[in-house]
Amino acid sequence: MCGIVGFTGRHQAAPILLDGLEKLEYRGYDSAGIAVAQGGAAASGAEGAGAASVRGAQSVSRQTVGAGQPKGVSEGGTEPSIEIVKAKGRLKVLREMTDDGRSVPGTCGIGHTRWATHGEPSVVNSHPHYAKNKRVAVVHNGIIENYQEIRDRLTKEGFSFISATDTETVAHLLDKYYAGNPIEAISRVMFRVRGSYALGILFADRPGEIYAVRKDSPLIVGRSDQGNFIASDVPAILRYTRDVCFIPNLEIVKLTDREIHFYNVDQEEVEETFSQVNWDTEAAEKGGFAHFMLKEIYEQPKAVRDTVSPRISEGHVNLEELGMSQEDLAKVSRIQMVACGSAYHVCMTAKYMVEQTARVPVDVDLASEFRYRNPVMEKDTLVVVVSQSGETADSLAALREAKKLGYRVLGIVNVVGSSIAREADSVFYTWAGPEISVATTKAYSTQLAAVYLLAIGLGRAKGMIDGAAEEEMTAELLRLPEKIERILEEKERIQWFANKFSHSKDIFFIGRGLDYASSLEGSLKLKEISYIHSEAYAAGELKHGTISLIEDGILVVGVATQKSLFEKLISNMVEVKSRGAYVLGVTSYGNYSMEDVANYTIYVPKTMECFAASLTVVPLQLLAYYVALGKGLDVDKPRNLAKSVTVE
Ligand code: F6R
């Protein structure tokens, strides 16, 4: 997903922009660009602004756009203008083109990493985009839904477009509406466009000022005594400040090197509060691990502990933060869970767990389906939206749909202050910390922990479990981190096994019940980072078609932790083995009969069956990681994927 950074302050902007964009690389991108304001009082009065403005040969991707009169290159920072440099491909190309930012002097700028939606990845389609009369530069994350109609209209009015993007319409609209008052121009654009946007904007005649606005796409503001920032996500500016404000939906922000002002869409100034992000830079960096994914796999014990332990006291689950009384909880007659991807697999696990523990029926939907299916739900249904980023477009739309229909929505979210966190009626934060790797691991584990806590709290409120059962379950929940640590100690066995299968064409996962939910996650993890075709099946379904795919040497991973389903799964493993499959068994210590059928077995510590998914997922994550590593792939940034899917 696109990434935005902006800085205005008492340092050179371009190196800070490049640094911030690098921290946003995890979102996935195909091109990048920066725009830096040149000239004007703010720039010339700032530290380092007098640095020689040496320009190399102009290229299609590098141009200086000015406030009015045509100009080539601005020297010395006196004439207000905006210099834009863009590059297709990795950020290092942009770094090279700008001598790590040194060749684009100026203390106020915006930067962007693009993940193509409208128009192929190319220099001309990359951001920043600008208006033809060279007064405005814009970076954008999101989608302008009515861009074609606006583009047609503006073209008739004489504006000419050079890119295939929706964003360029915003640049021209701003130009059209701008008559010296940026807030007014932005507000008029907000009324004119439909869709989602986080925008960073420079006006050439206002050097030293950045304008930002957002609707349904994330954007934060950071402040420090060295200057002020905008960014799509916290890690981009964590090196400079932890004092941040998540810009409320439909608000406009004006930043100068010393001041930040917020405005609503009616152009009235409004007050906003800043909060301290307690993540440290270290937590957003690799810290000695080869990849963020491996680091995050290793952070799981801590992440689960951080999520679970503050919610348990003296054997009881405390759900007070939901703002729901015991009576409110007892009244919940049904739960509707919605999410995407891995978070959806958490919901699958939740279905088994909540139904067994609280005897409350749970429906699970993909957010992208839920939002359009006009759902029929009972009156006292609690809608639970699960999301790491809190910005996933489909999940957010599902939340809004549920609220529109009058249901109470609980968000299980990792990113504090994100859209889902703000719009849900109740929020249950997972304390996983920043997750950088595109493939989720630690956030997934904390989401599982969150649904366990919810199931126990609900079970108790409904009188389905007694105090003793609650104590037993919470005690085991508190032991899970240590059990995950034990699995991690055996990573070499998994690594060895993974190396044998890194050249597979297809890999299948089978399981039943809770183990089926884990199989789905194991399969997704593998396919998304190793590019090996993989599917997960509820093992009972094999005979209904899939078994015809089994042939000699194909790897089938069987997950079996539940006593009542163990023998059934073993039979399914025998069936695939007798058709030539190589079988990997994943089970709990003690289930040694697995070895009678599996070619290779991975054991996880024993736990209560309802929590087994938290343990079986760890070897499956490691399997995916080492298979992808064996293929020499970019584990943290798999092709075509982005960390935060903020468009539909
Ligand atoms: C897979 C993965 C994705 C996300 C999905 C939802 O490893 O990370 O499938 O789980 O895109 O994202 P969030 O949780 O941010 O809503």
Side-chain angles (χ1 to χ4, degrees), residues 1-3 27-31 112-122 125-127 129 140-145 147 163-168 196-197 217 393 640 642 644-648:
M1 214 54 31
C2 304
R27 297 162 74 91
Y29 67 99
D30 48 56
S31 52
H112 189 266
T113 45
R114 174 172 189 251
W115 197 69
T117 52
H118 296 72
E120 54 165 20
S122 68
N125 285 336
S126 61
H127 302 213
H129 288 283
H140 169 216
N141 177 18
I143 288 183
I144 305 298
E145 285 168 4
Y147 86 100
S163 78
T165 65
D166 52 339
T167 307
E168 202 186 343
S196 60
Y197 49 83
S217 282
N640 306 336
S644 177
V645 186
T646 54
V647 292
E648 191 174 353

Side-chain angles (χ1 to χ4, degrees), residues 340-343 386-390 392 395 438-440 447 524-525 528 643 645:
C340 302
S342 292
V386 184
S387 175
Q388 185 283 129
S389 61
T392 301
S395 304
V438 166
T440 181
Q447 288 165 350
L524 177 64
K525 211 89 305 176
E528 71 178 317
K643 180 68 183 161
V645 186

Side-chain angles (χ1 to χ4, degrees), residues 54-278:
V54 182
R55 301 287 185 277
Q58 298 282 306
S59 79
V60 283
S61 55
R62 179 170 188 147
Q63 36 204 300
T64 303
V65 294
Q69 70 281 35
K71 71 170 93 276
V73 169
S74 82
E75 296 281 346
T78 47
E79 281 298 329
S81 62
I82 298 171
E83 176 153 10
I84 296 178
V85 190
K86 319 199 231 186
K88 189 176 162 205
R90 289 297 194 205
L91 204 58
K92 89 176 195 311
V93 184
L94 189 64
R95 277 197 175 283
E96 280 163 16
M97 284 177 72
T98 60
D99 188 19
D100 279 329
R102 283 185 286 267
S103 75
V104 193
T107 57
C108 172
I110 50 179
H112 189 266
T113 45
R114 174 172 189 251
W115 197 69
T117 52
H118 296 72
E120 54 165 20
S122 68
V123 170
V124 77
N125 285 336
S126 61
H127 302 213
H129 288 283
Y130 53 93
K132 184 171 167 254
N133 68 358
K134 302 176 171 127
R135 294 198 300 168
V136 187
V138 176
V139 290
H140 169 216
N141 177 18
I143 288 183
I144 305 298
E145 285 168 4
N146 57 340
Y147 86 100
Q148 193 59 54
E149 172 252 309
I150 299 174
R151 187 179 171 122
D152 293 347
R153 172 64 62 93
L154 289 173
T155 307
K156 277 192 200 129
E157 289 175 20
F159 289 85
S160 51
F161 285 76
I162 55 171
S163 78
T165 65
D166 52 339
T167 307
E168 202 186 343
T169 54
V170 176
H172 290 302
L173 271 184
L174 281 166
D175 179 36
K176 176 177 160 167
Y177 295 142
Y178 183 52
N181 180 345
I183 303 294
E184 186 196 354
I186 294 168
S187 148
R188 290 186 69 183
V189 169
M190 290 166 80
F191 283 109
R192 184 68 181 84
V193 300
R194 277 203 319 272
S196 60
Y197 49 83
L199 296 168
I201 305 161
L202 296 183
F203 291 88
D205 66 351
R206 292 181 167 266
E209 295 176 10
I210 296 177
Y211 292 83
V213 59
R214 75 168 208 98
K215 175 178 173 270
D216 300 344
S217 282
L219 198 64
I220 61 165
V221 177
R223 63 183 178 192
S224 79
D225 53 12
Q226 295 305 304
N228 295 320
F229 303 81
I230 57 167
S232 298
D233 202 355
V234 176
I237 56 172
L238 210 47
R239 200 172 142 192
Y240 309 100
T241 182
R242 293 187 198 168
D243 198 10
V244 304
C245 171
F246 293 80
I247 304 176
N249 219 19
L250 293 169
E251 278 192 16
I252 306 168
V253 192
K254 171 187 173 181
L255 298 91
T256 66
D257 60 340
R258 286 165 212 273
E259 288 177 18
I260 299 175
H261 299 275
F262 294 85
Y263 303 85
N264 62 23
V265 69
D266 297 322
Q267 305 171 47
E268 295 154 344
E269 186 156 1
V270 287
E271 287 287 315
E272 292 303 339
T273 46
F274 280 67
S275 48
Q276 290 289 315
V277 172
N278 56 11

Side-chain angles (χ1 to χ4, degrees), residues 293 339-345 385-393 395-396 412-415 420 435 437-441 443-444 447 521 524-525 528-529 638 641-645:
M293 181 174 175
C340 302
S342 292
Y344 171 79
H345 301 150
V385 180
V386 184
S387 175
Q388 185 283 129
S389 61
E391 301 293 350
T392 301
S395 304
L396 186 57
I412 296 180
V413 180
N414 192 45
V415 178
I420 294 177
E435 191 176 64
S437 172
V438 166
T440 181
T441 53
Y444 177 85
Q447 288 165 350
E521 176 59 8
L524 177 64
K525 211 89 305 176
E528 71 178 317
I529 61 169
L641 287 174
K643 180 68 183 161
S644 177
V645 186

Side-chain angles (χ1 to χ4, degrees), residues 321-322 409-413 420-422 424-429:
E321 65 204 278
L322 302 187
V409 178
L410 160 63
I412 296 180
V413 180
I420 294 177
R422 279 198 317 275
D425 299 295
S426 312
V427 189
F428 195 84
Y429 281 115

Side-chain angles (χ1 to χ4, degrees), residues 336-341 344 364-371 394 398:
Q336 170 68 61
M337 303 205 62
V338 262
C340 302
Y344 171 79
V364 180
D365 266 69
L366 291 163
S368 52
E369 293 293 318
F370 178 85
R371 63 184 289 192
D394 284 321

